[in-house]
Amino acid sequence: MPYNRVPVSPLVELSRLRVVLVAPRNPLNIGAVARAMSNFGFHSLRLVNPYAPSYREARSAVGASEILANAERFKTVPEAVEDCTLVVGTTAVRNRELQHLLRRPEYGARLICRRLGAGNVALLFGSEKFGLSNDALSHCHWLIRIPTCEENISMNLGQAVAVCLYELIRESRYERAANQLKLATAGELERITTLLLEAVQTSGFLDRRRVSDADERIRRLVCRLRLPERDAVIWLGMLRQMMWKMNQGTKPEP
C-alpha cells in the first residue's frame, strides 16, 4: 500500500484537517476561506483571536454559513492545535529568515495526506497584513509556500487557502485511486528483472557499458516503477516476446 497509510474512510480523513486562521480581520476573507472549505469538502474551521466585528459580519457568507456557524474560536495558537499531531504553517517568505523546512503545496499535500490517515492535522494561515508571527511559526513542524511571482508575492487569504485545499483534495483522491490498484508481487517483479537483465545481456548493451552491479541496478529500477499487477503481466509478455525475437525462434515461456 502506498506510503504505508492506514486505510480509513475519505470522510474521516477530511474531517481530521483543521484550517486555522490566526488573527484574521477582513470578513470577506474569512467568508472566502469558509466557501473554499465547503467547495473541497473540509469542515473544521478554527479562528485564533479574530477581530470580533469582522467575524460577526463574516458569518453571513453565502454558501458557507454552516462552516462559519460551527467554527471554533481560540485565544492562542497552542490551544487551537492542541489535538493535532502535525502543524503546518504557510508563508510568503519575503525577507524573513525562516528556521523551518519549506515545501511547495503539492509536496506538502502528500505528507499531510499521510498524516491524516492517523490523526488530526492543523494548517495555519496568518493575518492578511502580517502573516504568521514568529511565535505562531514556532508551533509549526514545517511550512508551505505557494510559488507566486516576485512582483506580487503575497496572495489573498481566501485564495491561498483554496490553493492548499485543492492540492490536498487532489492528492487524497490520487491516493485513494492508487490504493484500489493491486500492485505486482515481489515474485512478478523479480521475473521482470530477470527477463530485462537477460534482454540487455543478449542485446549487447552490457558489452558496451560494463557495470558490475547491473542486476542490482535493474532490480531497483523495476521496483521504483511500482507496477500494478495488470501492467506486470503486459511487461512480462513484452519481454518474453523480445527475448524470443532476439533468440531467433526460441519458444517463449508459457
Side-chain angles (χ1 to χ4, degrees):
M1 184 176 294
Y3 312 135
N4 297 319
R5 292 180 63 239
V6 178
V8 295
S9 162
L11 293 177
V12 172
E13 288 188 8
L14 298 185
S15 71
R16 287 175 176 164
L17 184 81
R18 280 68 171 114
V19 176
V20 182
L21 306 185
V22 182
R25 296 186 61 84
N26 189 321
L28 295 178
N29 286 336
I30 298 173
V33 168
R35 183 69 178 270
M37 291 176 64
S38 179
N39 289 148
F40 294 113
F42 297 91
H43 301 288
S44 181
L45 175 62
R46 296 182 174 183
L47 303 165
V48 177
N49 195 25
Y51 183 55
S54 294
Y55 177 55
R56 286 194 295 270
E57 188 177 341
R59 295 185 71 168
S60 63
V62 176
S65 56
E66 185 176 351
I67 290 175
L68 288 167
N70 294 325
E72 301 174 88
R73 296 176 66 180
F74 298 87
K75 290 183 179 180
T76 66
V77 170
E79 293 174 329
V81 303
E82 186 178 11
D83 63 341
C84 299
T85 61
L86 174 65
V87 180
V88 179
T90 56
T91 181
V93 182
R94 290 189 181 277
N95 298 319
R96 301 177 73 168
E97 184 177 344
L98 299 175
Q99 305 299 319
H100 294 74
L101 185 63
L102 199 62
R103 292 187 168 97
R104 288 166 60 110
E106 61 269 35
Y107 304 122
R110 185 173 303 170
L111 298 177
I112 290 173
C113 282
R114 294 184 198 178
R115 294 295 287 271
L116 283 173
N120 298 332
V121 175
L123 187 55
L124 271 61
F125 297 86
S127 70
E128 299 89 330
K129 191 171 183 179
F130 301 109
L132 292 170
S133 66
N134 288 333
D135 181 69
L137 289 174
S138 70
H139 296 282
C140 300
H141 293 90
W142 43 269
L143 307 176
I144 284 177
R145 177 184 180 269
I146 299 171
T148 52
C149 65
E150 291 298 324
E151 290 76 10
N152 191 7
I153 196 171
S154 182
M155 291 186 72
N156 169 273
L157 177 59
Q159 293 175 328
V161 172
V163 169
C164 291
L165 296 186
Y166 165 74
E167 291 294 344
L168 278 169
I169 201 69
R170 185 178 70 156
E171 179 64 24
S172 176
R173 287 175 178 172
Y174 165 77
E175 286 202 54
R176 289 200 292 275
N179 286 340
Q180 293 170 2
L181 286 177
K182 187 176 181 182
L183 296 179
T185 65
E188 289 168 326
L189 295 182
E190 185 61 24
R191 284 192 285 276
I192 290 174
T193 300
T194 300
L195 281 170
L196 189 54
L197 185 60
E198 221 179 304
V200 295
Q201 288 172 336
T202 303
S203 68
F205 177 80
L206 293 181
D207 294 334
R208 300 179 61 185
R209 185 182 178 185
R210 294 285 180 180
V211 181
S212 59
D213 59 345
D215 54 339
E216 295 175 6
R217 292 193 185 193
I218 290 176
R219 184 174 292 107
R220 289 195 295 268
L221 183 152
V222 171
C223 287
R224 285 197 299 268
L225 294 175
R226 293 187 65 252
L227 288 172
E229 186 180 51
R230 63 189 183 191
D231 289 350
V233 173
I234 297 173
W235 274 97
L236 284 167
M238 290 191 301
L239 288 168
R240 284 168 178 157
Q241 182 64 24
M242 289 166 60
M243 287 304 304
W244 176 79
K245 199 72 173 176
M246 285 190 288
N247 289 327
Q248 298 181 352
T250 302
K251 187 178 180 181
E253 299 177 29

